[in-house]
Every structure is written in structure tokens, then in C-alpha cells.
């Protein structure tokens, strides 16, 4: 992508409404624009990151055996009356009346709708286990939308819903999502720690939140230091092997970990002082087992091997992709801007032309751009005629993992410079060596 043809509206001033660093950096780097309180447009750079995050989530959901669908944002109130949640959900639910005076709502979550889909088609235990997920916008009229996309009113959620014949199999379904979440966050370059959690309006008897440690997190967290070094399951974990899944979950739920809502001071005191990690965290995922809460209320049953009808056992599993964009920045930035982990970076590489308009420099940049693009890299080429200082500052701000800096002085010696955004390390290389090093990845 040529920067001169792109839409990257960087802000010079730091917007004063932004209280935390990720919000400031997202506004300054032109990733999002606020349209109303807690409602954002995603500009090209922000959208690219969001899509990368979605891609990793989708990949790991599919690997764990979940099947993608897409449910609408607008739901009928009738389904929510069946479950009894229409009245209890309160002011967070955005209620809408259509032209026929029918009560509708902008979905804050989809337990009811997916239970309705399930009961319409599935009749037998032979079709289980089943896990259906979608990645769709939600609306919650939060009292205090803040911190940009981290606590929005309109936000993106991946929500998965599992269906099983009994509690034991539902536990396996829960473990599948638990394990897949460990992999999902690891692939995004962040460390998310599972913690015992409250179930709130979703309900149920077992729940874990996944939190990224960050000073600006909204939750207080108390956990054993061991969590910082526990092994994350590899890509060949067998999601059909219940024992293997249970072993991983036991390892990851063994040491003490709880958010402030669930904190137990006496248990905490039994953790050695040196192993105690009391910090703040950002909740990026939340999983629930709630058994037959919705299937009882909505009459979702399957025939079991005994021929009798059984209410299906369910769980739901959420991740916040739009919140993750902010959370990853909170976990990975410096005073000059964002430092994207490679897997979610909007482009792989920034190419800086220090003298646009100079025939030799332009030709060298074109050559590099074409070679790297052909090698499959997504390159943002700063071909503008801005001065060098501004170009460096912008590239650092938007945080692409690598920068290639090309100017007439270096080219006179046959060299260009490769800068690693994270470490700041610089290397002088020939064009061929740079292309081989980057393109060969
Ligand atoms: C689980 C999936 C649920 O809604 N029902 C379907 C369950 N869980 S949850 O914890 O309430 O939300 C799941 C994840 O969505 C993100 N999230 C938000 N992101 C941005 N702004 C918000 N206001 C917001 N609320 C929830 C979080 O990542 C949460 O873990």
C-alpha cells in the first residue's frame, strides 16, 4: 500500500477525552473515530488489526471443533420473554419498536437466539456435541462507556455456544473452549490468565475470565506468579481427547487466581508472599457453564440413548475482539507509540523513502516494494514528500514490527537500514540482503 493513496488520518494533538494510552494511541494513529459515546467507526488501520484478531480467533475456534454461523444484531423481544431475561436485563439493553409496534432489541448477547436455532433443528444426542459460534456486533448501553474501544456500547464479540447431552460432556465442551482460549491469546502475543469469575446476568455455576495484566485494567486481580510461565498447549492438542483437555485445564486452574469479585483472602494468604502477584487486568474473554438454564426455559430437548427426552446442557464462551485491539496496545507500547505483535500488526513492514522525488531513491523503493509484496509481505510504503523526522515519528507511532529506511546517502554505499520497532535494533544491509531476510520469512 502506498501511503499517498491510503487513508491514515493521524492526529497531531492528543485528544483530551482519551484517559488511557491505548485510546490516545488509537486516536492519534487514525485507527478509530468516535461517532457517539462508546460507538466507533473503524478506519483502515484499525480495521486491519481487528480483522487479524478475528482471523486468529476463527482459526482457533474451528480447530477446537466449533462451527461458524452468523446471527443478526437485531432480535425479537419474544425470545427474551421466553427465557425471562427481557425484564431482568435492565437499562443495558437497547430496546427498539418496529413500525408494527413489535418489541425488538439490539442483541447484547445471543443465548436465547442460538437456543432457538438449536431447538428448531436438533432432535437427537447423535448430533451432539455441537458448538456454534459467530463474530457479531453487540450493543450494551453501558452506564459509563470509557477507555475507547475497551468499554464501548457497540462492540464486537465472538460468542460460542455449546450443546451437550449431560453435565459431564458439557464439562468437556467447556474445557475445549478453555484450552482454545489459551492458544488464541498466546497467538496474539499477549499473556491472558484464566481466573475464577462471577457469572452475572449470563448465569450458571462455573465461569472463568481471561485477563491480560495491565495497570489500566478495570479489574483487580490476585494470582500466583507461576501463571507467567505456564506452558501454552501446542497446535497439536487433541480436542477430542477429554483426558488431555482436563489435564491442561487442571494445570491452568491449579495455582490461585481470582478477580477482586471472587477473591478469597484466606486462600490468598496461603500463597507464599514472593509468589503473590496482585495487579490489575483487562478482561478479554469470559466463559460460562450454565447447564439447562436456557434449555429448560425454552424447551430445548434431545432424545438420549435411553429414548427419553433430555434438556440440553449448555455453555457460552465470549471474546472481545474490539476490546482486544486496545488491550494489546495497553500491553505493548512505548513512549513513541504502538508496538504490534507480528501476528496482529496491520502491515508487516513500513518502507520509508527519505527522498521522494529523487529518481534513484524512488527506483530503489519501488524495487523493494515490489519484491517484498511479491514475497507475500504486506508493506506500507511511505512515498510522501514529508520530511524524514515526521516519517520516522509516524512509523513509530503506528508500530509496524519492522521498518526499512531508504535514502540517497545509504544507497550511495549500496545500503539501506532495517529497524526493528520493538528492540530499536538497526542493521545496515544491501537491498538484496534485506529482501532475502524479510521476504524469506
Ligand atoms: C459469553 C458469550 C457473555 O456475554 N454470552 C455470550 C457471554 N459474556 S461477557 O463476559 O459479558 O462478554 C464477553 C466478552 O465481550 C467483551 N465485552 C466488551 N468489549 C467491549 N466493550 C464492552 N462494553 C464489552 N462488554 C463485554 C469482553 O471481552 C468479554 O469478555
Amino acid at each position: 500500500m502506498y501511503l499517498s493513496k491510503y487513508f491514515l488520518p493521524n492526529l497531531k494533538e492528543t485528544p483530551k477525552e482519551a484517559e488511557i494510552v491505548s485510546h490516545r494511541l488509537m486516536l492519534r494513529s487514525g485507527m478509530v473515530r468516535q461517532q457517539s459515546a462508546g460507538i466507533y467507526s473503524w478506519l483502515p488501520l484499525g480495521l486491519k488489526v481487528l480483522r487479524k484478531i478475528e482471523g486468529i480467533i476463527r482459526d482457533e475456534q474451528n480447530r477446537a471443533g466449533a462451527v461458524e454461523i452468523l446471527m443478526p444484531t437485531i432480535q425479537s423481544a419474544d425470545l427474551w420473554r421466553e427465557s425471562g431475561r427481557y425484564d431482568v436485563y435492565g437499562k443495558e439493553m437497547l430496546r427498539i419498536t418496529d413500525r408494527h409496534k413489535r418489541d425488538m432489541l439490539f442483541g447484547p448477547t445471543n443465548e436465547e437466539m442460538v437456543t432457538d436455532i438449536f431447538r428448531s433443528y436438533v432432535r437427537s444426542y447423535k448430533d451432539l456435541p455441537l458448538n456454534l459460534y459467530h463474530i457479531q456486533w453487540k450493543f450494551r448501553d453501558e452506564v459509563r462507556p470509557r477507555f475507547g474501544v475497551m468499554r464501548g456500547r457497540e462492540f464486537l464479540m465472538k460468542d460460542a455456544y455449546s450443546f451437550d447431552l449431560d453435565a459431564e460432556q458439557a464439562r468437556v465442551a467447556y474445557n475445549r473452549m478453555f484450552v482454545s482460549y489459551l492458544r488464541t491469546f498466546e497467538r496474539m502475543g499477549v499473556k491472558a490468565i484464566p481466573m475464577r469469575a462471577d457469572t452475572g446476568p449470563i448465569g450458571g455455576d462455573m465461569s472463568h475470565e481471561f485477563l491480560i495484566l495491565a495497570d489500566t485494567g478495570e479489574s483487580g486481580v490476585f494470582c500466583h506468579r507461576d501463571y507467567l510461565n505456564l506452558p501454552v498447549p501446542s497446535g497439536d492438542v487433541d480436542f477430542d481427547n477429554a483426558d488431555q483437555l482436563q489435564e491442561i485445564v487442571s494445570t491452568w486452574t491449579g495455582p490461585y487466581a481470582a478477580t477482586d469479585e471472587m477473591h478469597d483472602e484466606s486462600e490468598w494468604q496461603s500463597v507464599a508472599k514472593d509468589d503473590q502477584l496482585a495487579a490489575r487486568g483487562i478482561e478479554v474473554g469470559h466463559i460460562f457453564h450454565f447447564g439447562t438454564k436456557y434449555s429448560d426455559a425454552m424447551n430445548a430437548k434431545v432424545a438420549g440413548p435411553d429414548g427419553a427426552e433430555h434438556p440440553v446442557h449448555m455453555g457460552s464462551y465470549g471474546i472481545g475482539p474490539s476490546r482486544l485491539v486496545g488491550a494489546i496496545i495497553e500491553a505493548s507500547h512505548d513512549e513513541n507509540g504502538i508496538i504490534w505483535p507480528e501476528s496482529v500488526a496491520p502491515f508487516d513492514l513500513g518502507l520509508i523513502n527519505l527522498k521522494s522525488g529523487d529518481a534513484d531513491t524512488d527506483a530503489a523503493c519501488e524495487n523493494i516494494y515490489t519484491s517484498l509484496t511479491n514475497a507475500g509481505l504486506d508493506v506500507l510504503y511511505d512515498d510522501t514528500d514529508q520530511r524524514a523526522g515526521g516519517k520516522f515519528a509516524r512509523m513509530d507511532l503506528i508500530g509496524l514490527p519492522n521498518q526499512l529506511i531508504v535514502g540517497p546517502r545509504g544507497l550511495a554505499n549500496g545500503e539501506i537500514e532495517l529497524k526493528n520497532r520493538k528492540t530499536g535494533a538497526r542493521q545496515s544491509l544491501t537491498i538484496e540482503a534485506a529482501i532475502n531476510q524479510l521476504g524469506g520469512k
Side-chain angles (χ1 to χ4, degrees):
M1 175 58 67
Y2 288 72
L3 185 57
S4 61
K5 297 183 181 145
Y6 202 46
F7 182 57
L8 187 65
N10 296 135
L11 299 182
K12 294 245 163 13
E13 304 297 320
T14 298
K16 48 183 180 317
E17 76 269 21
E19 295 168 62
I20 58 170
V21 67
S22 60
H23 192 193
R24 283 197 290 275
L25 291 174
M26 286 182 75
L27 293 172
R28 278 186 50 212
S29 62
M31 293 176 67
V32 291
R33 173 174 171 75
Q34 183 175 314
Q35 302 294 164
S36 305
I39 301 179
Y40 290 84
S41 289
W42 289 80
L43 305 178
L45 197 73
L47 183 61
K48 271 185 144 238
V49 178
L50 188 62
R51 293 286 183 248
K52 289 247 171 125
I53 289 173
E54 281 178 52
I56 293 173
I57 295 172
R58 190 171 275 121
D59 211 32
E60 293 299 332
Q61 289 291 289
N62 295 347
R63 189 201 297 276
V67 182
E68 187 169 10
I69 59 174
L70 184 58
M71 293 178 271
T73 54
I74 306 294
Q75 307 187 19
S76 158
D78 290 343
L79 281 177
W80 288 68
R81 292 200 173 99
E82 273 192 64
S83 74
R85 278 208 295 183
Y86 190 62
D87 293 327
V88 295
Y89 214 93
K91 290 196 167 169
E92 276 201 7
M93 180 185 277
L94 181 64
R95 296 157 203 262
I96 307 163
T97 313
D98 74 8
R99 67 199 298 164
H100 305 293
K101 307 254 179 314
R102 278 193 281 260
D103 293 328
M104 312 292 286
L105 56 102
F106 196 124
T109 177
N110 285 59
E111 278 80 7
E112 285 79 357
M113 187 173 279
V114 79
T115 305
D116 177 59
I117 293 174
F118 180 88
R119 71 179 172 187
S120 307
Y121 299 106
V122 184
R123 298 270 173 269
S124 162
Y125 77 97
K126 290 182 187 150
D127 296 323
L128 304 181
L130 182 65
N131 183 324
L132 299 174
Y133 78 96
H134 73 162
I135 301 178
Q136 178 62 293
W137 294 92
K138 305 287 187 285
F139 195 93
R140 293 182 184 172
D141 205 351
E142 304 268 354
V143 193
R144 260 196 90 195
R146 58 184 188 151
F147 299 161
V149 297
M150 296 246 269
R151 180 163 295 281
R153 292 198 296 166
E154 189 184 50
F155 61 95
L156 195 57
M157 192 196 287
K158 182 289 297 182
D159 34 330
Y161 303 87
S162 66
F163 303 89
D164 287 275
L165 181 62
D166 56 32
E168 195 186 325
Q169 289 171 49
R171 173 77 212 210
V172 180
Y174 186 89
N175 287 353
R176 264 189 211 109
M177 286 292 108
F178 189 110
V179 171
S180 102
Y181 276 30
L182 295 174
R183 289 191 43 75
T184 302
F185 298 123
E186 161 95 354
R187 280 187 57 188
M188 291 175 195
V190 289
K191 197 165 277 301
I193 301 175
M195 308 204 178
R196 272 181 247 163
D198 198 11
T199 57
I202 306 293
D205 58 5
M206 180 168 59
S207 174
H208 286 92
E209 280 177 7
F210 289 73
L211 292 109
I212 294 179
L213 301 182
D215 293 341
T216 46
E218 292 190 284
S219 319
V221 301
F222 301 85
C223 70
H224 196 292
R225 272 188 197 283
D226 279 359
Y227 277 105
L228 301 178
N229 298 309
L230 287 181
V232 172
S234 71
D236 53 20
V237 48
D238 179 359
F239 282 93
D240 291 325
N241 183 335
D243 293 337
Q244 193 188 0
L245 294 173
Q246 185 56 55
E247 202 175 303
I248 297 167
V249 172
S250 299
T251 305
W252 278 88
T253 50
Y256 186 84
T259 60
D260 40 15
E261 286 165 346
M262 299 293 277
H263 185 52
D264 178 332
E265 193 56 35
S266 68
E267 260 190 78
W268 179 237
Q269 290 314 327
S270 64
V271 177
K273 278 274 174 301
D274 284 352
D275 291 332
Q276 289 182 352
L277 181 60
R280 301 205 66 79
I282 303 168
E283 179 208 313
V284 289
H286 198 162
I287 60 177
F288 302 80
H289 166 75
F290 43 72
T292 57
K293 172 175 169 177
Y294 297 92
S295 48
D296 280 337
M298 297 181 66
N299 202 26
K301 290 184 179 145
V302 286
D306 54 2
E309 300 257 284
H310 300 266
V312 71
H313 287 248
M314 293 175 58
S316 72
Y317 313 91
I319 294 184
S322 48
R323 173 175 291 182
L324 267 160
V325 178
I328 293 171
I329 297 174
E330 287 296 324
S332 185
H333 66 269
D334 65 12
E335 65 284 1
N336 297 322
I338 303 167
I339 303 174
W340 290 115
E342 284 187 18
S343 60
V344 298
F347 293 90
D348 300 312
L349 180 85
L351 173 62
I352 301 179
N353 183 336
L354 291 179
K355 201 167 183 195
S356 297
D358 172 72
D360 290 343
T361 316
D362 288 352
C365 286
E366 283 297 330
N367 169 24
I368 296 167
Y369 180 79
T370 309
S371 304
L372 292 176
T373 305
N374 287 344
L377 261 70
D378 199 4
V379 181
L380 181 64
Y381 170 24
D382 188 345
D383 60 333
T384 64
D385 54 13
Q386 216 190 337
R387 53 184 187 79
K391 292 190 174 192
F392 292 142
R394 176 167 48 214
M395 268 313 167
D396 279 354
L397 173 66
I398 67 174
L400 309 181
N402 287 297
Q403 300 170 11
L404 262 186
I405 302 156
V406 182
R409 212 174 306 156
L411 285 176
N413 300 321
E415 283 183 339
I416 59 176
E417 196 173 43
L418 173 63
K419 178 182 154 186
N420 180 290
R421 173 67 182 88
K422 185 170 181 184
T423 62
R426 291 164 186 272
Q427 263 179 290
S428 283
L429 298 166
T430 63
I431 293 181
E432 290 68 34
I435 292 172
N436 283 340
Q437 189 167 325
L438 294 161
K441 280 210 288 191

